[in-house]
């Protein structure tokens, strides 16, 4: 089920690339992932395809590049409409986009504030991260997924970020499961989906990747 050639310029540990991979898997779209060496010289194709930000992910569909992960997931949902990720109701779609925007603006920055900390992680950084997850718990309410009974757009945007949470827990000295049990239960439900479970990397490997990043940045 494909409309032309689909390529993804990729980095295995990037939660933003993982969003595109999960969305493509949900739609049953075949694609080729091309790994980028983000630290040893970016490819000409990446620099040509995303001259503004020079970052992954980039989705190339019939040679036409698209950048920024949330925009890419939106494009995938519109180009391959079945099964839909966004709800049919305009109001519910707007709410989904609000929470996707909230996640984009808040979660990864809070993750980075913890693993980039020198020495002991400040309580303010931990508390900020936990407070963001509690706000997302409020959005979840009693639902299985952010959109209701079925896995959808906001879940695709949020779940890839969680593969960095093990690193956050190790550096921060806390457990998401203890602090935000409802969010943790949602994570477990998402991981029961084949499209998620076979796409997300092992959190321990991400933790090792983060240690490498810390060494590169000279963080003790």
């Amino acid at each position: 089920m494909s409309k032309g050639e689909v390529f993804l310029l990729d980095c295995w540990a990037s939660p933003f690339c993982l969003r595109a991979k999960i969305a493509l898997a949900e739609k049953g779209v075949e694609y080729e992932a091309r790994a980028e060496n983000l630290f040893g010289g970016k490819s000409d194709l990446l620099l040509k395809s995303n001259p503004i930000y020079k970052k992954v992910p980039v989705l190339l569909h019939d040679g036409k590049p698209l950048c920024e992960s949330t925009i890419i997931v939106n494009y995938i949902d519109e180009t391959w409409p079945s099964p839909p990720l966004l709800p049919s109701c305009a109001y519910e779609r707007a709410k989904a986009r609000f929470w996707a925007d909230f996640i984009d603006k808040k979660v990864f920055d809070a993750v980075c504030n913890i693993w980039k900390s020198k020495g002991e992680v400040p309580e303010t950084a931990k508390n900020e991260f936990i407070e963001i997850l509690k706000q997302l718990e409020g959005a979840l309410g009693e639902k299985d997924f952010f959109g209701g009974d079925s896995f959808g757009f906001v879940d695709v945007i949020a779940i890839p970020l969680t593969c960095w949470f093990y690193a956050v827990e190790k550096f921060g000295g806390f457990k998401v499961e203890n602090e935000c049990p409802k969010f943790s239960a949602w994570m477990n439900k998402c991981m029961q989906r084949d499209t998620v479970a076979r796409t997300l990397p092992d959190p321990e490997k991400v933790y090792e990747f983060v240690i490498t990043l810390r060494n590169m940045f000279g963080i003790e």
Side-chain angles (χ1 to χ4, degrees), residues 131-147:
E131 179 57 30
I132 290 165
L133 296 195
K134 286 188 182 297
Q135 288 174 306
L136 289 170
E137 284 188 322
L140 265 172
E142 300 305 317
K143 305 186 296 288
D144 284 347
F145 300 103
F146 281 97

Side-chain angles (χ1 to χ4, degrees), residues 6 8 19-27 29 59 66 69-83 85:
V6 181
L8 183 69
R19 289 171 171 177
K21 289 178 171 179
I22 291 171
L24 289 166
E26 285 286 327
K27 303 291 187 171
V29 176
L59 185 79
L66 278 161
S69 61
T70 302
I71 292 167
I72 289 170
V73 173
N74 248 310
Y75 176 82
I76 290 167
D77 197 35
E78 290 180 7
T79 305
W80 295 277
S82 181
L85 295 174

